[in-house]
Structure formats: C-alpha cells, structure tokens
Amino acid sequence: METKTHFNPKGVYSKFLELFDSQPILVRSPGRINLIGEHTDYNEGFVMPAAIDRDIVAAIDFSIDDHSTLYSVKHNEFFSFHTSDPAKVKSPLWANYLLGVVRKFIDEGKVVKSFNCVIDGDVPTGAGLSSSAALECSFAFALNHLHRFDIPKMQLITIALWAEHNYAGVKCGIMDQFSSMMGLSGKAFVLDCRSLEYRYFPVNLKECSIVLCDSMVKHSLASSEYNTRRAECEQGVQIIRKHYPQVSSLRDVTLPMIEDYIAEFPEKVYNRCRYVIQENERVLDASKDLEKNDLKSFGKKMYETHKGLSQLYEVSCEELDFLVEESKNINGVLGARMMGGGFGGCTINFVLDSDLKEFITKMCHAYEKKFGVKMNTYVVSIKDGTGILKL
Ligand code: GLA
C-alpha cells in the first residue's frame, strides 16, 4: 500500500521552543519530481519538473552568542560552529548542506549573525526526490529572511547550488534547487537550463495519479558516476567543437552532427551525447502533449526516456529496469521511467485512478517476489515551492 510518513511541521516548531526558547520563523521547501528531461540540465538543455507535497522544514532564529547551532530531528543530532568559520566537516554529513550555504552568504559579502536552526521533514532521502536541494533551499531562504537581506529567489537558487557542488561534492545541474524554490501548486514548468527562462503550465491529471515506486536502492554510485557522465558529455562537446567551433554545450548539437563524426567518438561518449540530444527534443514534444492533455502520448515518451537512460546513458539499475518493465503488465499505466540521477531511487508512473489500488498492490508484490524487498510507494501532488510556513 501507499507509504505515508507522518510529519507534522508543528513538531519542528515545538522542538525549537524546547531547545532554544525563542520564537523562530518557519520555512518549508519541497522535494521535486521531474516529469521528463533527465540529465539534460547540466548540458544546458530542457527539463520539466514540479515541486511536490513533501517538505523539508527549517525553524530559525538568532542566537545570543558567537556560535550557531544546528539540530536535525531526523538524526537526533546537534552541530555547533563558529559563525564566521562554516568549514566543511567530515561528520555529520547533513550539516555540510547548511554550512555550504552559510559559507556562500559570507563569500557574497553578507554579515551572517549567529543563529539556531532546527531541521526536519518528510522528503525521503536517497530516493531521487531532491531532499538535499530542499534542505539547502529551505535553509538559504530562512537565513535570508531572518537577516532581511532581500536576496531574490534566483540568487538563493545559485547559493543552494554552490553548496551542493562545493560542500556535498555533486556537480549537479540547476533543476533540483530551481524546482524546490520556484514550484507552483498544480503546475509543472519547462525550464531552459541555458537561459533560465521558464514557463508554467497546468498539469490536468484528471483521472490519473502520479505514483513514485521507491526501489529502496540507495544510490551509492550516484555521485561518482554522475560526475563521470558530466565529464563524458563535456568530452563529446570537445570532439564536436573541433568541427563546429561555435558549439558550447550539447544543447547546440544535433544528431546529424554527431553521426557525421561518429568515428571520432569513443562509443560511450557517442551514446551519452545521442541520449541527451534526443531527450531535449522529447521534452519539447512532451510539453505539447501536456498542453493537449494527451497523457497517452506523454506516457510513451516516458518509456522512451527510460530506454535511453538505461541503454545509452547507463544510469539505471536492475531494480529500476524491473519496475519499468513490470509497469507495462499492469492495466491503467500510461507511462513509467526512472527519475533523477539514477542508480536507485524512484520510478515515476502515470496511472489511471481506477487502477491505482491494483497498480500499487501488484507492483509491491512483484518487487518483493523478485528482490525480497518491501517497496515504498508515494502518490504525490504538485505544490508550491519554498516559502514561509504559517502554522
Ligand atoms: C540529479 C541532479 C539534477 C539532474 C538530475 C538528472 O537529480 O541533482 O541536477 O541532473 O539528477 O536529471
């Protein structure tokens, strides 16, 4: 059955009062789904994400000494540091996402005063729903609001991204932080990751639900292989640039361009480039499907994306491939694919409401039978991005 975590933001507030005895502000920042457009963001391509009804919540207020204290409810763990020296730490790892944000505020010339902060939430970690981006965004927004720095959301996104690159060590694209910050209830958006122009449009799912099947595989390969994929795409750009000097990313490259020079590409690099070029086209076509509310056609593209991610980009795994294949045997499934960085985490499925119960039961059963693991599923809805939380 669907797995619900019981998270009440009031608990974050009460915990703050209990620990620090002052009145905090509360900020919520959601996880995200990505409808289509995977591994395209760092290639200056297109993505189609949306923020979901799973949040990280940060409670924050100034402290009275020269130390700042962080407390994670999930880890039941404190971390204190001298506010002027938010250095990266070996442990606890969760603190690095916040320390990186403080570092970047200071580097940008902001005078950060000492503070206390309590963090909790119900975005599952390691499931490909961007819990780390939600953590960075909630905290960046909270720190900005507390100090009244008036930093616009676009700049907070780049601060959060800097923390991910430099303190978490994942050279991710901008999609996750952007979605968590800019999401709108009931709407997905197409983001052009080169110009950062974006366009919202309603997702009229009518009789259909978005279901995530969590393989429960924690993507341990994810950060190293992710950075390798990024490097392989850059290698592809270098090869093609010898012939087309104006090319600055895979966004500028077409299939005929790589086919003409196929002999110069190592096979893997060719496959990576091929996938990215096709995926960019798919996002633009898929946005037309959504506008026409043609979920069938959209769903087909989800399956095509999965095939590309699995065979050309090689970021899937046995468990994710199984979940996508299995979905094809169940009535009412319009489309399915792995979502996010890969090597574990969730598949995203469009399922007719009339078949939803059966889908969840059958998928959980099949997964347990095959891998001996009980799978989590999440039926998600599309919500607003980062903002102040009023209790
Ligand atoms: C992770 C990264 C994103 C994006 C996806 C793949 O979620 O954080 O920037 O590259 O993988 O689409």
Side-chain angles (χ1 to χ4, degrees):
M1 274 293 89
E2 190 204 345
T3 321
K4 282 254 179 249
T5 47
H6 297 285
F7 167 65
N8 182 355
K10 278 190 187 152
V12 184
Y13 177 73
S14 349
K15 193 75 197 174
F16 191 98
L17 291 187
E18 179 197 320
L19 294 173
F20 301 115
D21 198 23
S22 70
Q23 283 293 333
I25 53 163
L26 290 173
V27 173
R28 55 161 284 281
S29 207
R32 64 102 190 88
I33 48 173
N34 185 21
L35 301 184
I36 200 156
E38 220 64 89
H39 286 275
T40 44
D41 59 352
Y42 53 84
N43 288 301
E44 298 193 337
F46 300 101
V47 292
M48 199 193 286
I52 56 169
D53 55 343
R54 302 265 166 168
D55 292 318
I56 297 290
V57 172
I60 194 167
D61 192 18
F62 290 118
S63 75
I64 42 171
D65 52 29
D66 56 1
H67 275 72
S68 291
T69 299
L70 312 170
Y71 175 74
S72 160
V73 176
K74 182 178 162 197
H75 297 92
N76 186 19
E77 198 169 22
F78 285 96
F79 181 76
S80 286
F81 64 102
H82 199 287
T83 313
S84 62
D85 182 26
K88 192 171 162 178
V89 291
K90 285 217 171 74
S91 153
L93 288 177
W94 59 265
N96 278 329
Y97 298 97
L98 312 179
L99 291 166
V101 169
V102 178
R103 174 79 269 156
K104 191 63 178 153
F105 268 81
I106 296 174
D107 289 353
E108 302 222 332
K110 302 294 178 206
V111 180
V112 177
K113 295 191 212 147
S114 294
F115 62 88
N116 296 314
C117 181
V118 172
I119 299 280
D120 197 11
D122 63 353
V123 188
T125 49
L129 304 183
S130 298
S131 57
S132 61
L135 179 56
E136 293 148 3
C137 288
S138 64
F139 180 65
F141 190 98
L143 208 57
N144 178 45
H145 195 86
L146 183 69
H147 288 81
R148 299 182 192 282
F149 287 143
D150 270 340
I151 301 174
K153 268 189 166 183
M154 271 313 296
Q155 202 182 333
L156 293 177
I157 291 170
T158 56
I159 290 175
L161 190 60
W162 187 93
E164 183 79 39
H165 283 190
N166 296 285
Y167 273 54
V170 181
K171 300 284 178 209
C172 64
I174 200 167
M175 171 170 73
D176 302 348
Q177 288 75 12
F178 201 99
S179 320
S180 186
M181 205 59 102
M182 306 297 281
L184 262 194
S185 183
K187 299 202 165 114
F189 55 99
V190 172
L191 170 66
D192 175 340
C193 297
R194 169 173 272 177
S195 66
L196 298 186
E197 277 166 15
Y198 56 101
R199 186 165 59 92
Y200 293 107
F201 50 91
V203 182
N204 291 318
L205 290 175
K206 280 206 219 130
E207 288 121 26
C208 174
S209 292
I210 300 175
V211 192
L212 310 177
C213 292
D214 188 345
S215 67
M216 316 301 282
V217 177
K218 300 289 172 205
H219 36 23
S220 60
L221 270 178
S223 51
S224 60
E225 285 295 317
Y226 186 93
N227 293 344
T228 307
R229 290 301 173 281
R230 201 171 171 145
E232 286 164 344
C233 291
E234 275 157 24
Q235 199 185 337
V237 170
Q238 293 309 326
I239 295 169
I240 211 74
R241 197 185 275 154
K242 284 190 227 140
H243 307 281
Y244 298 91
Q246 73 279 18
V247 163
S248 66
S249 73
L250 285 181
R251 169 70 175 276
D252 304 315
V253 182
T254 62
L255 284 183
M257 282 160 80
I258 57 168
E259 276 153 16
D260 282 351
Y261 298 102
I262 190 165
E264 295 177 28
F265 282 82
E267 192 185 348
K268 268 189 187 171
V269 175
Y270 177 81
N271 286 343
R272 311 303 190 230
C273 295
R274 185 175 183 82
Y275 162 75
V276 171
I277 295 166
Q278 288 175 332
E279 182 71 351
N280 273 331
E281 279 174 19
R282 252 190 308 266
V283 177
L284 298 180
D285 290 347
S287 71
K288 291 181 197 139
D289 291 339
L290 268 200
E291 267 162 1
K292 287 186 273 173
N293 217 19
D294 186 348
L295 295 184
K296 265 198 171 160
S297 176
F298 191 95
K300 271 194 196 145
K301 294 189 178 68
M302 292 170 80
Y303 282 119
E304 285 169 20
T305 292
H306 185 80
K307 197 170 166 205
L309 286 168
S310 177
Q311 296 177 4
L312 296 175
Y313 216 69
E314 296 182 282
V315 289
S316 186
C317 59
E318 195 192 345
E319 292 84 350
L320 291 170
D321 287 346
F322 175 81
L323 287 172
V324 171
E325 275 314 301
E326 198 60 26
S327 75
K328 295 179 183 165
N329 302 327
I330 301 178
N331 286 338
V333 181
L334 303 175
R337 63 176 195 83
M338 57 148 279
M339 189 181 72
F343 304 102
C346 290
T347 60
I348 175 169
N349 305 261
F350 277 19
V351 184
L352 293 180
D353 288 338
S354 49
D355 297 294
L356 182 61
K357 247 186 152 176
E358 200 178 332
F359 170 80
I360 292 176
T361 313
K362 283 191 169 164
M363 289 295 283
C364 289
H365 181 74
Y367 196 73
E368 190 168 358
K369 196 167 159 215
K370 170 91 178 160
F371 296 106
V373 172
K374 279 197 195 311
M375 176 178 88
N376 282 344
T377 58
Y378 315 108
V379 178
V380 293
S381 53
I382 298 181
K383 291 288 184 223
D384 282 337
T386 307
I388 292 289
L389 179 68
K390 299 250 182 285
L391 290 182

